[in-house]
Amino acid sequence: MKKFNIKESFRKGVKNKRLRHGSYSMGLALIVLAIIVVINMAVNALPSKFREFDLTGQNLTQISSQTTEVLDALTKDVQIYLVAQSGQEDETTKKLLDNYAQASDHIKFEVRDPVKNPAFLNSYQDMDLYNNSVIVECGDRKKALSPDQIYEYQMDYTNYSSTVTGFDGEGQITSAISYVTSENLGKAYTLTGHDEAAMTDSLKSLIQKQNLETEDLNLITADQVPEDADFLLIFSPMADISAEESVKIQNYLTAGGHAFIVAGYTGGTPQPNLDALLAGYGLERVEGVVVEGDPNHYTGSGQAYIVPDKESHEITSGLEKYILMPMAQGLQESQDHRDTVQVSSLLKTSDAAYSKPDPANVTTMEKEDGDIDGPFMIGAAITETVSAGEGNTGMEDTGTEGADTADTDTEGADTDSTDTGNAEDQSASKETRIVCLTSELMFDQGIDSQVIGGNMELVGKAVSWLTDGEEVTVSIPSKSIDNTSLSMTAMGTLLGFLGCIVVIPLAVLVTGLVIWLGRKNR
């Protein structure tokens, strides 16, 4: 019997080509596996903003440049909590808050389970908290955001079910950070008493996100526009303002006040005093409703659903989304306004636009005799540098009876305003600012959703411009949700890439090698 020699057998095995090739393949596989493990460890060490990507284009969890500016300006520490039971955390909100914490050393973020930590809620008994509520606090000031504020819903009354239509996480959270870190909050007064349109939920939410308090103002009973007003909102009145109110508004504006005026088609109801006020600042309303003749400037809903051109201005800067202005009224710059008044177009129709003077009795949308030729402004911004002690100069020679009445009362009203309003520094100058838009329907959520929030983004930037001052304002619109969010991590992308160029080819190679060796040994 021949003795088995282990050393000789091993030496022959090393010389065997098949065994040598198999060793090479195994070594290569181990090297590739080691590389994948090392890359995986390196990628997991990176912040999530570098590891995860939103492939839907909605960027629900990414923070915008405006939020970055707010975070960069922080000098106080802000604590944020996501109140959620373990395993029930909203991943979109959680990921967004992670990005806030990574963007600023002043932001601290924690998830708190109220079931496991019931004592945590003792400090927030004055707040209505729900699963996935967000608490933002700085010092003694705090604010709670419910899931219904973070997400937007649309109710289907046919089956009484709701569908998520928008994610307003960034806008609400950045607003809350601004709120808890601000020393003073702004205030907007809404003119009442003229059958004004009700503010839409979208507009209310936007003003709330700007950290502005709102209060109704009746200028029939009030002596003046309050001095703490950041701006006066005149929201689509159907009836005219009185001559007395016109004087009070004019006094406020000539002292450097700001106004947001939505003045659209009123159904033929004359508004001579409001027209006189606008004319004093270089704007004239064109009779009727604007119709577009250029197919590139209206939607499938009809020629009165105008998609205007955005003109160059601070308000429209960086605004990439479309604007939709249904049933807008045209504006033209008057030729005889004061030289100190600067009128800037924000939104403009095409040259093919025209106005239907009597839209209630329109028989055709085609241009016909009697229609007023465009183009028109349907959104404008006005500025005027004034002395802090300057009196009323804007109502002369406007050509209406209401304006004449206002002029008669101007001297006394101006004296009162000067005596009470600006005794500190008569020589200082201020800038009057006015934004005028001519479509009430543009504020409707359904209309706004057709341009993916473009309308409210414009309005938000306009409010920021009007409240430009000491405090940071926030005008981040909600993000529309029209499909399921799809995210892929950087590691997933890497594994997919390696799978395609390494694992699959290697598997094919090994399979082919096994088949070839099997056939060779037959």
Side-chain angles (χ1 to χ4, degrees):
M1 183 177 180
K2 188 177 179 180
K3 187 177 180 180
F4 178 72
N5 191 324
I6 296 178
K7 291 183 179 180
E8 184 66 20
S9 177
F10 179 77
R11 188 164 50 249
K12 290 180 180 179
V14 170
K15 293 180 180 180
N16 187 289
K17 290 183 178 180
R18 284 180 290 178
L19 181 59
R20 188 165 62 247
H21 289 162
S23 299
Y24 291 157
S25 298
M26 182 177 296
L28 178 61
L30 290 174
I31 291 172
V32 171
L33 181 60
I35 292 174
I36 292 176
V37 171
V38 171
I39 293 176
N40 187 22
M41 294 174 63
V43 170
N44 285 331
L46 295 173
S48 62
K49 64 180 179 180
F50 298 119
R51 293 185 285 110
E52 300 176 354
F53 303 95
D54 185 352
L55 300 182
T56 64
Q58 297 165 326
N59 296 321
L60 300 183
T61 62
Q62 301 303 309
I63 59 177
S64 66
S65 58
Q66 187 173 167
T67 290
T68 301
E69 291 177 7
V70 173
L71 298 182
D72 288 345
L74 286 178
T75 58
K76 304 175 182 178
D77 290 337
V78 177
Q79 179 67 55
I80 303 179
Y81 297 106
L82 176 62
V83 183
Q85 294 186 33
S86 180
Q88 299 181 19
E89 302 92 343
D90 179 67
E91 289 300 323
T92 303
T93 304
K94 182 174 180 292
K95 195 175 297 181
L96 175 64
L97 291 171
D98 277 332
N99 287 338
Y100 272 84
Q102 293 167 14
S104 173
D105 293 336
H106 287 287
I107 300 292
K108 308 300 179 185
F109 167 56
E110 297 179 43
V111 179
R112 288 295 181 93
D113 186 339
V115 176
K116 295 181 179 179
N117 302 283
F120 168 76
L121 298 179
N122 292 338
S123 301
Y124 307 100
Q125 293 181 356
D126 57 334
M127 294 181 169
D128 293 326
L129 298 177
Y130 308 88
N131 200 42
N132 283 300
S133 285
V134 174
I135 299 174
V136 182
E137 64 179 346
C138 177
D140 295 331
R141 185 174 288 184
K142 53 192 174 183
K143 187 172 186 179
L145 303 173
S146 70
D148 287 345
Q149 290 175 278
I150 294 173
Y151 283 93
E152 295 178 344
Y153 300 86
Q154 184 174 18
M155 177 64 71
D156 184 353
Y157 291 99
T158 60
N159 54 15
Y160 292 95
S161 63
S162 60
T163 304
V164 178
T165 58
F167 181 71
D168 197 20
E170 184 189 5
Q172 294 289 349
I173 293 166
T174 301
S175 172
I177 292 172
S178 179
Y179 169 79
V180 300
T181 57
S182 297
E183 298 296 334
N184 300 299
L185 299 178
K187 194 164 188 178
Y189 286 87
T190 305
L191 189 66
T192 62
H194 314 90
D195 197 17
E196 288 86 358
M199 283 200 296
T200 62
D201 291 339
S202 297
L203 181 56
K204 290 179 182 178
S205 175
L206 184 143
I207 291 177
Q208 176 263 327
K209 284 195 296 184
Q210 297 273 24
N211 292 319
L212 291 168
E213 298 180 42
T214 58
E215 185 176 325
D216 290 343
L217 176 65
N218 186 336
L219 281 178
I220 293 295
T221 57
D223 294 333
Q224 61 181 10
V225 178
E227 294 182 2
D228 63 345
D230 280 88
F231 68 89
L232 174 66
L233 175 61
I234 303 176
F235 192 69
S236 192
M238 294 302 294
D240 195 16
I241 60 176
S242 69
E244 181 183 1
E245 290 174 297
S246 181
V247 170
K248 294 174 182 178
I249 296 172
Q250 183 66 28
N251 287 340
Y252 167 68
L253 293 175
T254 53
H258 299 165
F260 195 142
I261 302 174
V262 180
Y265 180 66
T266 61
T269 302
Q271 295 181 324
N273 291 321
L274 182 57
D275 286 336
L277 179 67
L278 292 172
Y281 286 95
L283 291 179
E284 295 178 352
R285 289 193 286 181
V286 178
E287 187 179 3
V289 171
V290 176
V291 175
E292 260 293 353
D294 183 350
N296 294 317
H297 285 80
Y298 62 85
T299 70
S301 299
Q303 291 176 252
Y305 283 68
I306 299 169
V307 180
D309 291 324
K310 297 184 288 288
E311 303 286 276
S312 178
H313 191 272
E314 182 181 342
I315 293 174
T316 56
S317 175
L319 183 59
E320 298 180 355
K321 297 175 184 176
Y322 289 113
I323 305 299
L324 180 55
M325 301 276 284
M327 304 296 289
Q329 189 165 25
L331 293 171
Q332 292 179 333
E333 183 175 356
S334 59
Q335 300 300 315
D336 56 352
H337 63 73
R338 299 182 300 280
D339 293 338
T340 53
V341 171
Q342 301 296 320
V343 178
S344 300
S345 175
L346 297 177
L347 305 171
K348 195 172 184 179
T349 68
S350 74
D351 293 342
Y354 45 91
S355 184
K356 293 282 185 181
D358 187 11
N361 297 304
V362 166
T363 57
T364 176
M365 298 302 287
E366 299 298 321
K367 191 175 185 304
E368 54 188 346
D369 292 342
D371 292 345
I372 305 170
D373 291 330
F376 310 107
M377 294 183 290
I378 52 178
I382 298 99
T383 59
E384 183 180 24
T385 301
V386 296
S387 168
E390 187 174 334
N392 188 337
T393 61
M395 303 299 290
E396 294 96 2
D397 301 326
T398 53
T400 66
E401 182 178 351
D404 292 338
T405 304
D407 285 336
T408 302
D409 297 333
T410 294
E411 184 177 352
D414 289 341
T415 302
D416 293 341
S417 176
T418 302
D419 289 343
T420 61
N422 300 286
E424 295 181 1
D425 187 358
Q426 298 292 333
S427 63
S429 62
K430 295 184 178 181
E431 186 175 64
T432 300
R433 291 186 175 188
I434 302 172
V435 171
C436 182
L437 300 174
T438 63
S439 171
E440 170 201 332
L441 292 177
M442 72 173 291
F443 295 86
D444 180 80
Q445 184 175 349
I447 297 296
D448 186 43
S449 65
Q450 294 184 40
V451 285
I452 322 177
N455 286 359
M456 297 315 296
E457 185 171 349
L458 171 76
V459 173
K461 290 172 74 69
V463 171
S464 293
W465 183 70
L466 290 172
T467 56
D468 187 23
E470 298 178 359
E471 299 299 329
V472 177
T473 56
V474 179
S475 60
I476 302 171
S478 63
K479 297 172 183 178
S480 176
I481 297 178
D482 53 13
N483 62 340
T484 302
S485 178
L486 172 63
S487 298
M488 181 176 288
T489 65
M491 193 62 227
T493 305
L494 176 61
L495 290 176
F497 176 76
L498 292 176
C500 291
I501 68 168
V502 177
V503 178
I504 294 177
L506 186 60
V508 172
L509 178 62
V510 171
T511 302
L513 184 60
V514 170
I515 294 174
W516 177 75
L517 290 175
R519 290 179 178 177
K520 185 178 179 180
N521 292 332
R522 287 177 183 174

